[in-house]
Amino acid sequence: ANQVFRPGWNQPTMTLEELGERERADAIQRAEQQQVAEAEAKFRPRRYEQLVKDGMEDDEKLVEASAKLDRDWDEWKEENPRGSGNKMSERGDR
C-alpha cells in the first residue's frame, strides 16, 4: 500500500553537498596514498637507466639490486625469445 504513491525511479539518498564532501575526502586520501607510494618506489630496485635518470646511481645497495634485476630480466629474455609463446601449431596432443 505504501508503494502506490512512490515514483518509479530511484530517489537520491544524499544531497549534492554530501556527495561533494565524500568525493573530496576520497580524492585527498588517494593523493596521500599516491605520495606515499611514490616515496617508497624511489628506494625500490629498478632498471639502472632509471637510477641514473633519477640521480641515484651512487646508492650502492640500489645499484646492486638493480644489476640483479637487469641480469634476471636478461636471463628471462634469453630463455623466452620473442615469438616463442603459445603456438597452436606445435600442440603435442595430435
Side-chain angles (χ1 to χ4, degrees):
N2 63 354
Q3 299 285 331
V4 174
F5 297 108
R6 295 185 76 187
W9 58 87
N10 292 335
Q11 293 293 302
T13 57
M14 66 176 74
T15 65
L16 286 175
E17 184 178 348
E18 290 171 333
L19 176 65
E21 289 172 4
R22 182 180 285 184
E23 288 290 322
R24 183 176 176 274
D26 289 347
I28 290 171
Q29 183 181 7
R30 283 193 306 270
E32 289 171 354
Q33 289 174 346
Q34 179 72 24
Q35 287 177 348
V36 168
E38 287 175 1
E40 289 175 355
K42 265 192 168 176
F43 299 103
R44 249 188 249 133
R46 52 197 182 278
R47 305 281 307 198
Y48 184 74
E49 299 93 44
Q50 191 66 38
L51 286 180
V52 172
K53 183 179 170 186
D54 293 343
M56 299 185 72
E57 67 272 11
D58 297 336
D59 189 339
E60 218 172 290
K61 286 183 181 179
L62 266 179
V63 169
E64 286 183 27
S66 296
K68 182 184 180 326
L69 193 72
D70 286 343
R71 276 193 305 275
D72 291 346
W73 177 246
D74 289 340
E75 289 173 10
W76 187 89
K77 297 257 306 182
E78 287 173 10
E79 293 169 4
N80 303 285
R82 185 175 178 93
S84 67
N86 185 14
K87 296 189 178 185
M88 295 301 289
S89 63
E90 298 177 6
R91 293 193 336 209
D93 60 351
R94 291 186 185 182

